[in-house]
Amino acid sequence: MLDDSTLTLDALTAGVSVFQRRDGHRFSSDDMMTAFVAAEVCPAPTTVLDLGCGLGSVLLHLAWTMPAAALVGVEAQAVSFALLQRNIAHNDFGSRVTVYHGDLRDPAVRARIGGPYDLVTGTPPYFPPSTATDALDRQRAYARVEYRGGVEAYIATGAGALADDGWMVLCGDADAVHRTSAAAEQYGLALVSETVVLPRAGRAPLFSVWVLRHRDAAGHAGCATRRVALRDEHGDRTATAKALKAFSGFAER
């Protein structure tokens, strides 16, 4: 299934490298920010679940960041799952990371996932099939388009696996905050924070990262919102961008 001539091996963190397809779905700033926010709110979990984990960008970053945690991932797309398995083996995470091949909406997959988890993460596809132009590449298409559900499906599965005092961290289209909030309400969760990420100061958002908790754990503080840019108005890297790099173990040049 994997043609080695089409793969690159790239540094995800200072201690983790991953195989990814040169012309396929590749890790990016949304994965890094999801892992970053997850580590902010839940720095020392015992158990972690990553939904729709793709080639393992968030899952393996957290495995490296949280060496005491046992982690579980689920991924449905065949090529991404093959890369995920290779990346776990390549980084010698097999003793702490377990992954399942299947649709996170499937009751049988949910049963295998089990729980409860201290931390649940996910980077759902951003675009409904009715509004998106499909990527020509099948792997990229399933990473971008909600063929197997969007943020609502991730919240539905995540809510059932989340510990009573756990944290859920999801990334998605910044315009989907109302969908996220409505799904959280439906499944007994509360949206407690939103990080809106801009590529450059003054530009439209790239994506948002949301933190959700069970209502009893969330309390009544409401949703705190922060806006961060990866580059300032002059095009220079911001403190946020530098913090992401440091979080991954890379020195600033």
Side-chain angles (χ1 to χ4, degrees):
M1 180 179 295
L2 296 178
D3 178 354
D4 284 0
S5 69
T6 69
L7 304 181
T8 62
L9 181 61
D10 304 290
L12 179 69
T13 75
V16 175
S17 56
V18 295
F19 292 97
Q20 47 187 354
R21 294 173 62 233
R22 185 176 292 106
D23 297 319
H25 180 63
R26 299 174 68 83
F27 71 79
S28 60
S29 57
D30 55 352
D31 301 307
M32 300 302 97
M33 185 61 76
T34 301
F36 181 81
V37 173
E40 277 187 324
V41 299
C42 187
T46 301
T47 52
V48 178
L49 170 64
D50 187 38
L51 298 170
C53 51
L55 59 88
S57 308
V58 175
L59 181 69
L60 300 187
H61 201 306
L62 294 179
W64 179 76
T65 304
M66 302 167 174
L71 301 95
V72 171
V74 58
E75 173 56 42
Q77 209 284 323
V79 173
S80 291
F81 189 76
L83 286 167
L84 173 63
Q85 290 181 304
R86 176 177 286 197
N87 289 331
I88 291 169
H90 177 73
N91 292 284
D92 197 25
F93 282 138
S95 64
R96 289 198 296 121
V97 178
T98 302
V99 291
Y100 298 110
H101 186 200
D103 189 328
L104 59 85
R105 301 169 300 172
D106 184 342
V109 172
R110 292 182 179 182
R112 294 183 75 188
I113 289 170
Y117 292 90
D118 302 324
L119 174 63
V120 176
T121 58
T123 53
Y126 285 19
F127 304 109
S130 60
T131 61
T133 300
D134 293 2
L136 295 178
D137 180 83
R138 186 174 179 84
Q139 184 206 17
R140 283 189 292 161
Y142 273 89
R144 295 174 56 193
V145 183
E146 298 174 353
Y147 294 128
R148 295 190 177 99
V151 67
E152 294 87 355
Y154 281 62
I155 290 173
T157 296
L162 187 65
D164 289 344
D165 59 348
W167 301 82
M168 185 185 301
V169 180
L170 301 176
C171 174
D173 181 2
D175 291 335
V177 62
H178 298 298
R179 290 176 57 188
T180 304
S181 181
E185 178 72 19
Q186 180 180 355
Y187 292 102
L189 304 179
L191 183 60
V192 298
S193 74
E194 179 184 23
T195 300
V196 182
V197 181
L198 287 64
R200 183 168 174 162
R203 300 278 178 87
L206 274 175
F207 55 85
S208 284
V209 178
W210 302 291
V211 177
L212 303 91
R213 305 197 77 186
H214 287 294
R215 288 196 195 107
D216 289 345
H220 304 284
C223 179
T225 301
R226 64 177 174 179
R227 295 173 70 88
V228 299
L230 300 179
R231 293 190 179 273
D232 64 21
E233 61 273 18
H234 305 295
D236 296 324
R237 290 164 54 81
T238 62
T240 297
K242 293 176 182 178
L244 282 175
K245 190 171 183 179
F247 171 64
S248 298
F250 300 121
E252 187 68 26
R253 295 179 180 177

